Amino acid sequence: MRRHHRTTPRTTRILGSLLLVMAAGAFTLGAAPASGEAIPLAQVVPAPASVAAGGSPYRITDATRIRVDDSREARRVGEYLAGVLRPSTGYPLTVTSQGRGGIRLRLAQGPFGAEGYRLDSGRSGVTITAARPAGLFHGVQTLRQLLPAAVEKDSVQPGPWLVAGGTITDTPRYGWRGAMLDVSRHFFTVDQVKRYIDQLALYKINKLHLHLSDDQGWRIAIDSWPRLAAYGGSTQVGGGPGGHYTKADYQEIVRYAASRYLEVVPEIDMPGHTNAALASYAELNCDGVAPPLYTGTDVGFSSLCVGKEITYDFVDDVIRELAALTPGEYLHIGGDEAHSTSHEDYVKFMDRVQPIVAEYGKTVVGWHQLTGATPAKGALAQYWGLDGTSDEEKAQVAKAAQNGTGLILSPADRIYLDMKYTADTPLGLDWAGLVEVKRSYDWDPGNYLAGAPSSAIRGVEAPLWTETITKSADIEYMAFPRLAGVAELGWSPASTHDWEDYKVRLAAQGPRWDALGIGYYQSPQVPWPAR
Ligand code: TNX
């Protein structure tokens, strides 16, 4: 369902990449072009749908203004862009609706969809046109990558600040391009989550799935069941102090994400992965006895009591309060690894709980085990299987997809960001195998799960489970560079998929991450420029 085709023939693109590498080879492989040369339009990650390079570059100077339409949202995107460019350029970059030339953000009808944009660059200016503010925002991320990596620094840099001439026309392949952060196994503060949001926005990720509850911690305040957060949130893996978001904290995350055009998808994992809730309220347990808090890393040992009516009062209250905090369309109810719930109980539970989500106006998302019950109409299943997943399980998911359940693809042996890159990776787990950068990128979501119609594929999502992850530097080391590849799988047309081309574009991100203070894994598979 691609609207735009690459206007530069593939051979030209490959030749272009070769020339780029050869030119750069005079310095170091993949390094920034010599000053005075602009970065090629085709170097962007995720690869744009269509690139037509040519004409004079635009040079940002101290006279450049950011011109926006008279709309609040266009102005907001303009201010965001100014916030990115001012510290490194040292220019005033006034945001205004007056004048000519400069950097223009323009809302207009056109074949852009909800998130696409066109970027036109020439001697007199750069114009980003989109039908919706999200498209302007994604176009701004493209513009950032067309400027030297030093633009990402927070102190004044020499420039020059050239944007190559030409046109990029761009629109995403999938509407769901997600990242999940597990804030339950280890708690992450609002500021840590915001930092990750900023990093996700660089690559046009548009969903932030927060795994808000698990055996080790309940992380969101629920007024009607206050011990969930106060007690159930009081520890984490390893026994540290844990933490939780107040409703105000959570709303601040939602607001910040929205300002970067990401929708927050909250998850309360049920009926398994519920020890923190069971520990907080004895009456939720079938035997009426609260278990102790749990700080280990086992899975599959806890279950809500499917036969007790109070379980559904609890679920109703939690979903009602969480839905009220959620402007987005989706509410994730987990459903994975319910090894302590019988199949019969699991089906019964999901039959009771999915209508509650609908009652509060939200659409169900569940891990793919939900397809073992009866997914509600419109529900999405998040597939986290791997090559070794049994044929029956794959067939069950494919069958649900044939019957209308949408799929979000999160194959564990491809895009679980908590998997180690190599046996030497100091962080992470390896139950799904080792996942180097190439393996993470080199698959096609549109042709991945046999029997699932391609129309069922809503997109991709990269989960980051945090049993071994305790700080922002850990998040960044595991996410970068793999996250950029997931973003490309979700955004770019399948026709652009090419590891040899991608790895050169990816290498050019390294200096940007350095400038942003992102400590990434320097995979030997990628020709990073010398630092
Ligand atoms: C499986 S994948 C889990 C999580 C763990 C993760 C560790 C899934 C839906 N459940 O509970 O944290 O593996 O990689």
Side-chain angles (χ1 to χ4, degrees), residues 399-441:
K399 184 146 184 277
Q402 288 159 16
N403 292 334
T405 298
L407 298 182
I408 302 161
L409 298 179
S410 300
D413 56 349
R414 298 285 182 175
I415 61 173
Y416 261 33
L417 299 178
D418 62 317
M419 290 301 122
K420 291 176 181 289
Y421 295 97
T422 70
D424 296 333
T425 305
L427 302 167
L429 306 175
D430 63 2
W431 65 264
L434 300 170
V435 185
E436 250 287 8
V437 178
K438 180 170 192 276
R439 179 168 178 79
S440 184
Y441 168 81

Side-chain angles (χ1 to χ4, degrees), residues 505-519:
R505 287 183 289 112
L506 183 60
Q509 303 300 306
R512 292 174 189 281
W513 298 337
D514 287 333
L516 288 163
I518 296 173

Side-chain angles (χ1 to χ4, degrees), residues 177-197:
R177 304 179 307 280
M180 187 210 81
L181 183 63
D182 170 9
V183 296
S184 180
R185 270 52 177 272
H186 281 97
F187 181 65
F188 294 89
T189 63
V190 172
D191 282 346
Q192 287 173 312
V193 175
K194 286 183 175 176
R195 182 174 164 92
Y196 197 39
I197 288 170

Side-chain angles (χ1 to χ4, degrees), residues 4 55 79 86 110 134 157 194 226 335 360 407 437 489 495-496 529:
H4 303 287
E79 292 292 354
R86 280 175 190 145
Q157 305 295 313
K194 286 183 175 176
Y360 293 112
L407 298 182
V437 178
L489 290 172
S495 60
T496 65

Side-chain angles (χ1 to χ4, degrees), residues 268-284:
I268 298 296
D269 202 347
M270 307 178 271
H273 290 277
T274 42
N275 188 77
L278 297 169
S280 304
Y281 288 96
E283 59 269 41
L284 292 177

Side-chain angles (χ1 to χ4, degrees), residues 182 185 211 214 269 273 299 336-337 367 369 384 412 416 418-419 429 431 465-467:
D182 170 9
R185 270 52 177 272
H211 185 74
D214 212 302
D269 202 347
H273 290 277
V299 298
D336 58 315
E337 298 173 324
W367 296 104
Q369 280 74 14
W384 59 280
Y416 261 33
D418 62 317
M419 290 301 122
L429 306 175
W431 65 264
W465 302 98
T466 59
E467 285 93 338

Side-chain angles (χ1 to χ4, degrees), residues 20 105 109 130 166 215 221 265 335 355 366 384 415 437 448 502 508:
L20 170 69
L105 305 182
Q109 293 310 309
D215 292 318
V265 180
W384 59 280
I415 61 173
V437 178
Y448 177 72
Y502 173 67

